[in-house]
Amino acid sequence: MRTNKEISGRMPGGYPPGIHADTRPEPEGDMNDGLELEESLFEGELIPVVSVPIVKLPEQAKEYPPKIELDCTVPEIHRQSTLDLSVPILRLRPGSITMSKVVLDDHIHSISKEDVHFYVPVVSLQQSAPVLHNTWTECASNVQEHWVTTYATLREQTSADSEDTEETPETTSPDSPSGGGAGIPEEPPDVMQYLFGIKNDDLSTRRPKIILYKERPEDNTLASFETCCLRIYREQVGGDPRLQPVSRLDETIVTYLDKWADPGRHLITLDLDYFSQEEAKKWFGPKNLRDFLRRAIAADYGFIIFKSRREDLFENCRLLVQERLASEIGHLLDIHVVKPNSLSIDKKRWLSSIFWGNCARVKEEPPVIAHYRDGGSRGTHISSYDLDVVFNKKCRAEYEKVFTSFTRGENRLYQIVTKKRSRESDEHYLMKCYVVRYLSEKYQLKTITEIRKAIHTEKPQESSSSPELFIPDVFDKKGNGYYEIETLFAGDRNGKELINHLSETVLKYELDRNKPARVYVVIDNTAAIRHMSDLLWLEEMFCDLEGVQVKFLTFDIASKGLIPIQEVNQKMQKVMCDKALRSSIFGKV
């Protein structure tokens, strides 16, 4: 075996530096035994055994982490100074009670009514104006009432502005904003339901009505309800129905009762509280009452009212009419149970004032209760706080007094300058005289010549775009405004429905497109309140008419002016803002 010893840098012995070779002699006999075996098995050239060196690497030095020692001694902190806190000590004196003797004067001084006006800028918004609430006070029934009204309306602001322009004080100009925006107003409250507990629509259906009227024990409301029924009758049928109360059942009354059975000519009220037991048993039975009702329902429209204040009489009548006779009679009976709601004296006064043309509310006075008998043992108690006194006597009387003044006294002048057409109801004509007076005072017209020159009544007007002539009820030549008077009575509507009649009245002014028209539809107050929802809807629909501006107005007799119906709706909302009362009223089924 040849060995290459020419490798440079080798150590003696033939090994690289740093490498130690094991040169110890191998054990004897091991290799030789192998060679002998190989020689015995194979023939040929003998290959010598190769010697492999064993290399031992040096061991790496072990690294130990450094030793870290911490000083665990805590230095002592010496207090250098002291902190003194000064806390004041309060010593309270023992409590003492001081009693003062106060003597109250039971005499309440009279406080005159005072109107406080707030000047609010009139801004036309795209939403309903905020509801301005009134402040009311209600006293005990045994103490004289005194109240101060603090309220402000857009009408009063407009009236204040009108004083600077030499117009009539506290009179609303039809051109002034009505307090509402362009949006459809909130649904107005139902005044009939608020007062009497029955919906206005239920009384307006074209069928004879049988009313079971449960009068309140502490109030008198029937006369006010009868007044509303007569107004509704004139709207549905027309004419002049008569009220026929029946408080006794002698032979004479029973004879005429069959003639009165047709409710198309009379509004019949049977007051069960005044019937004696013998009279009631003799006539008020199933047979007589069945025949009476059969003749009554044959009419087209009308009212028969069974009234009682006593629970037992009312319930017996209801069971007989509503449950027994209604099933025995083959015709459909339109039967309604009416139970008036209990209202405070303030709400009665406010609502009655709004209902009758915003008349001046009566002065406060102590309640006066009258007791009288009607030829029998039963007595009647009438209080000045009753709805019939406030609504039907005082406010209604003041409303009617304003219109009857045109037939006498200084207001007779307006009959001369106001033309009356044929078949025109007296109410419609007097309303027309009212508008003529309003315009005359607005422009300070005193003589007949001045009024007739500036204000035309029932005079045909020419149209620049149509050969047809239209006749307005009142034409304000000076202000270029057309006034249409509406009672909504059936006779004044010529048998047409309310929506159709008012639409034709307004749309006739669309003929004159070259001359923009301002049309004011003046509605009777009671009709405006009952049909407020339809009127507000129509006013909104007419906003899209091209060349025609339409506003619905009603009477404000306190200022001798006119007031937008939207403001009347706001006034009703104020009176009915009592949520607890409204939920109890309108939650009935």
Side-chain angles (χ1 to χ4, degrees), residues 455-502:
I455 304 171
H456 300 168
T457 58
E458 302 295 341
K459 183 176 180 180
Q461 303 292 322
E462 296 181 354
S463 174
S464 59
S465 58
S466 174
E468 299 182 11
L469 300 177
F470 57 92
I471 304 176
D473 290 331
V474 179
F475 173 53
D476 177 11
K477 187 176 180 180
K478 191 172 183 178
N480 192 27
Y482 299 90
Y483 291 80
E484 292 290 341
I485 313 301
E486 297 294 343
T487 61
L488 300 185
F489 292 159
D492 294 330
R493 298 197 320 263
N494 297 322
K496 298 177 183 178
E497 294 296 330
L498 183 144
I499 299 295
N500 293 335
H501 172 69
L502 293 179

Side-chain angles (χ1 to χ4, degrees), residues 63 225 288 430:
E63 296 181 359
F225 180 76
N288 292 333
L430 294 177

Side-chain angles (χ1 to χ4, degrees), residues 444-458:
Q444 298 182 359
L445 307 176
K446 302 298 183 181
T447 64
I448 296 177
T449 303
E450 291 176 343
I451 297 175
R452 296 184 64 180
K453 185 178 180 180
I455 304 171
H456 300 168
T457 58
E458 302 295 341

Side-chain angles (χ1 to χ4, degrees), residues 76-92:
E76 185 178 359
I77 301 175
H78 300 281
R79 186 175 62 182
Q80 299 297 332
S81 61
T82 59
L83 178 63
D84 297 330
L85 297 178
S86 298
V87 180
I89 298 177
L90 302 179
R91 300 182 182 277
L92 302 178

Side-chain angles (χ1 to χ4, degrees), residues 96-351:
S96 61
I97 300 176
T98 303
M99 300 182 64
S100 300
K101 184 177 180 180
V102 179
V103 180
L104 299 178
D105 186 3
D106 58 354
H107 176 70
I108 301 178
H109 297 278
S110 177
I111 303 176
S112 59
K113 179 180 176 182
E114 178 183 358
D115 291 337
V116 180
H117 301 278
F118 298 96
Y119 294 93
V120 181
V122 178
V123 180
S124 180
L125 302 177
Q126 296 301 317
Q127 59 184 5
S128 300
V131 177
L132 303 176
H133 297 280
N134 297 333
T135 302
W136 301 309
T137 59
E138 181 178 358
C139 302
S141 59
N142 58 346
V143 180
Q144 186 176 3
E145 291 185 317
H146 301 279
W147 56 327
V148 177
T149 306
T150 58
Y151 65 96
T153 63
L154 295 179
R155 178 181 61 81
E156 293 172 340
Q157 169 63 23
T158 307
S159 301
D161 296 339
S162 300
E163 295 179 0
D164 298 336
T165 57
E166 298 182 357
E167 291 190 6
T168 304
E170 305 223 1
T171 301
T172 302
S173 173
D175 300 330
S176 62
S178 57
I184 296 178
E186 182 183 354
E187 185 69 18
D190 192 331
V191 178
M192 295 298 295
Q193 188 175 13
Y194 191 84
L195 287 175
F196 306 107
I198 182 172
K199 293 182 179 180
N200 181 57
D201 293 340
D202 293 339
L203 295 175
S204 301
T205 56
R206 193 65 181 267
R207 287 195 303 269
K209 303 289 184 297
I210 298 176
I211 305 297
L212 305 177
Y213 198 90
K214 177 64 171 64
E215 182 63 283
R216 300 196 61 83
E218 76 286 354
D219 201 352
N220 289 285
T221 63
L222 178 62
S224 302
F225 180 76
E226 291 172 335
T227 299
C228 295
C229 290
L230 291 174
R231 303 285 298 191
I232 296 173
Y233 182 94
R234 298 193 66 180
E235 291 183 15
Q236 294 291 335
V237 182
D240 190 11
R242 290 180 294 172
L243 175 63
Q244 186 61 60
V246 178
S247 58
R248 68 182 189 276
L249 289 174
D250 54 21
E251 295 182 358
T252 304
I253 297 299
V254 171
T255 302
Y256 280 97
L257 193 60
D258 292 337
K259 298 180 180 180
W260 297 337
D262 183 3
R265 295 186 300 171
H266 301 85
L267 189 152
I268 304 177
T269 299
L270 290 89
D271 197 333
L272 306 182
D273 293 335
Y274 291 99
F275 292 170
S276 65
Q277 295 183 358
E278 295 181 358
E279 293 174 346
K281 290 180 180 180
K282 185 177 180 180
W283 183 87
F284 201 76
K287 182 180 182 302
N288 292 333
L289 197 57
R290 184 187 300 110
D291 296 338
F292 175 73
L293 294 180
R294 280 178 176 173
R295 288 190 295 270
I297 62 177
D300 187 29
Y301 190 78
F303 293 91
I304 295 179
I305 302 175
F306 295 92
K307 172 259 180 182
S308 180
R309 198 185 304 267
R310 295 172 50 185
E311 185 66 33
D312 55 343
L313 290 179
F314 177 81
E315 187 62 21
N316 292 336
C317 179
R318 188 192 67 80
L319 293 175
L320 178 61
V321 175
Q322 193 174 27
E323 296 187 7
R324 178 174 177 177
L325 296 181
S327 60
E328 294 179 0
I329 298 177
H331 297 280
L332 179 63
L333 299 182
D334 197 0
I335 303 175
H336 299 279
V337 176
V338 177
K339 295 182 178 181
N341 295 297
S342 177
L343 301 176
S344 66
I345 182 60
D346 281 331
K347 288 186 180 292
K348 291 177 183 178
R349 290 192 178 111
W350 278 90
L351 194 57

Side-chain angles (χ1 to χ4, degrees), residues 58-71:
E59 295 183 1
Q60 296 180 355
K62 295 182 180 180
E63 296 181 359
Y64 296 95
K67 184 177 180 181
I68 301 174
E69 294 182 359
L70 300 176
D71 186 4

